[in-house]
Amino acid sequence: MPTERPSIPLPLQIADKLRARIEDQVYPLGEKLPSQRLLADEFKVSRETIKGALDRLESEGFIKTRQGARSEVTRTQGAPAPGEEADETSVVRSRQIHTDGRRDEVGAHSLESVIERAFLAKDVTLDAYSLTTESLGRHLGKQLDAVGRGDLRPDSITLRLLVPSGDFPLAYPAAVEQSDSRPFERWRRSADEHLTTLKNKILMVRDSDRSTTDVRLEIKRVELTPTVKFYVLNNETLLFGLYTLAPRNMILDDDSVVLALDVLGLQSNLFYHSASDSDTQGHLYFTEFQAMFDGLWRHAHGMLKMYPPGR
């Protein structure tokens, strides 16, 4: 008998409804939302559930919440508030562009919310290519914890990650003074730490007596410096963003400071497309990025490692 697909958690359902009101200008920019008590009464849920919904909207950049005050709308229609830059947990939006020049807005998404929805599927798959797994690992970790507790019960989870090898210096991060390898060494230590954290999450799910999910993590290290990061989820959803190179002062482990060329990974916009997009460029984006990943996975000269070991 097939496993029943879990329902979308209440905080996410309420966040979706409130987000729709914000986008429809029911709550315009600068307006304050009703109090948590009034929202709890309206939706007939606990204030803790409302808090979860508001936390989600705040992480997406739609509202700002201050203790003892009602939440204020700081973003509508996915556009950044004045003076702000979007990051990977902020709202991301893509426009569908028709051949006749018409443009249709696609719904707002974030890396966190897209991953959460992906984990509601019976079989979860993720292909990812990025400079590090910092933000990806953080969002995956929340879902893997829920699987380990038995709150989410997909039949299987298959994660394939392409990451730089670290055996040779990358184009970035790199010190402006090229003889200084410390920014690269710092990146390598940090990247390895994030991967180790994710591996431990995988082992936690495997060893949990509350989970029956078949979970697998495959990592391939490639001798490339990514200029783009992208995530393909459940053979359906694509998120991608470009790395923007900029000089910045980098604080090293010994508290010294070095001028380095680095990318604004956490401050880059992400764009959303779906394999089911029709009569748009969205389907082509999805197809091309999936082909790019598959080509790198098959042909790049990197070592494949699988977790849990011995699979």
Side-chain angles (χ1 to χ4, degrees):
M1 179 179 298
T3 303
E4 184 179 352
R5 176 173 171 166
S7 60
I8 298 176
L10 271 176
L12 289 184
Q13 294 181 38
I14 294 171
D16 287 344
K17 293 176 180 178
L18 293 175
R19 188 187 303 107
R21 293 180 185 179
I22 292 172
E23 293 185 334
D24 291 340
Q25 302 296 311
V26 175
Y27 306 133
L29 189 67
E31 182 86 3
K32 293 188 182 299
L33 299 187
S35 67
Q36 292 187 23
R37 180 181 62 79
L38 289 177
L39 289 172
D41 290 343
E42 176 187 351
F43 291 107
K44 296 179 172 53
V45 296
S46 68
R47 291 184 64 174
E48 190 64 29
T49 299
I50 294 297
K51 184 179 183 303
L54 297 178
D55 286 346
R56 159 48 53 81
L57 292 176
E58 185 169 31
S59 76
E60 293 175 349
F62 276 107
I63 63 172
K64 191 170 190 64
T65 301
R66 295 181 177 86
Q67 187 172 5
R70 289 154 53 196
S71 301
E72 180 180 342
V73 176
T74 55
R75 178 173 300 165
T76 61
Q77 300 297 323
E84 290 187 352
E85 291 182 287
D87 62 27
E88 284 195 345
T89 58
S90 295
V91 172
V92 291
R93 179 182 296 277
S94 176
R95 290 179 181 267
Q96 296 181 345
I97 305 177
H98 298 262
T99 54
D100 62 3
R102 289 180 297 112
R103 294 169 179 256
D104 294 335
E105 294 286 359
V106 180
H109 305 273
S110 70
L111 178 58
E112 183 177 17
S113 64
V114 168
I115 288 176
E116 282 187 350
R117 284 169 172 78
F119 268 73
L120 297 175
K122 180 180 178 182
D123 296 296
V124 180
T125 64
L126 168 67
D127 293 341
Y129 178 45
S130 60
L131 191 60
T132 74
T133 58
E134 180 179 3
S135 55
L136 175 65
R138 182 169 64 252
H139 300 316
L140 283 176
K142 293 180 181 179
Q143 301 308 303
L144 291 171
D145 284 341
V147 174
R149 294 192 303 268
D151 296 338
L152 294 175
R153 297 180 178 273
D155 288 352
S156 66
I157 301 171
T158 303
L159 311 176
R160 297 195 301 174
L161 307 183
L162 280 169
V163 295
S165 71
D167 294 334
F168 304 95
L170 304 177
Y172 43 78
V176 172
E177 176 56 54
Q178 295 183 3
S179 61
D180 190 345
S181 64
R182 291 179 297 169
F184 168 71
E185 298 295 338
R186 178 180 179 273
W187 166 85
R188 182 165 57 182
R189 285 192 298 272
S190 177
D192 287 344
E193 288 172 1
H194 295 311
L195 280 176
T196 297
T197 299
L198 186 55
K199 294 171 191 176
N200 286 329
K201 294 286 187 181
I202 294 293
L203 293 176
M204 177 272 296
V205 173
R206 184 199 66 176
D207 295 338
S208 172
D209 57 5
R210 297 183 180 181
S211 173
T212 59
T213 299
D214 180 31
V215 59
R216 178 173 61 184
L217 168 65
E218 300 177 3
I219 300 172
K220 197 165 189 178
R221 296 180 179 269
V222 293
E223 296 176 6
L224 296 170
T225 303
T227 57
V228 61
K229 57 187 170 189
F230 62 91
Y231 316 97
V232 180
L233 297 103
N234 293 350
N235 300 311
E236 169 62 25
T237 301
L238 165 70
L239 290 177
F240 76 91
L242 304 177
Y243 286 118
T244 302
L245 189 64
R248 71 179 183 92
N249 288 317
M250 179 181 291
I251 300 176
L252 303 175
D253 295 339
D254 61 359
D255 289 333
S256 61
V257 178
V258 62
L259 181 62
L261 291 175
D262 201 2
V263 292
L264 306 177
L266 290 176
Q267 293 178 319
S268 61
N269 290 304
L270 290 175
F271 300 92
Y272 173 97
H273 293 288
S274 170
S276 61
D277 288 345
S278 60
D279 191 31
T280 70
Q281 292 184 2
H283 177 75
L284 293 177
Y285 272 108
F286 178 89
T287 302
E288 291 298 313
F289 272 96
Q290 184 66 75
M292 177 183 176
F293 184 93
D294 291 339
L296 286 170
W297 191 262
R298 285 194 304 268
H299 302 300
H301 299 290
M303 180 177 294
L304 175 65
K305 292 188 176 182
M306 301 177 67
Y307 302 88
R311 292 187 61 92

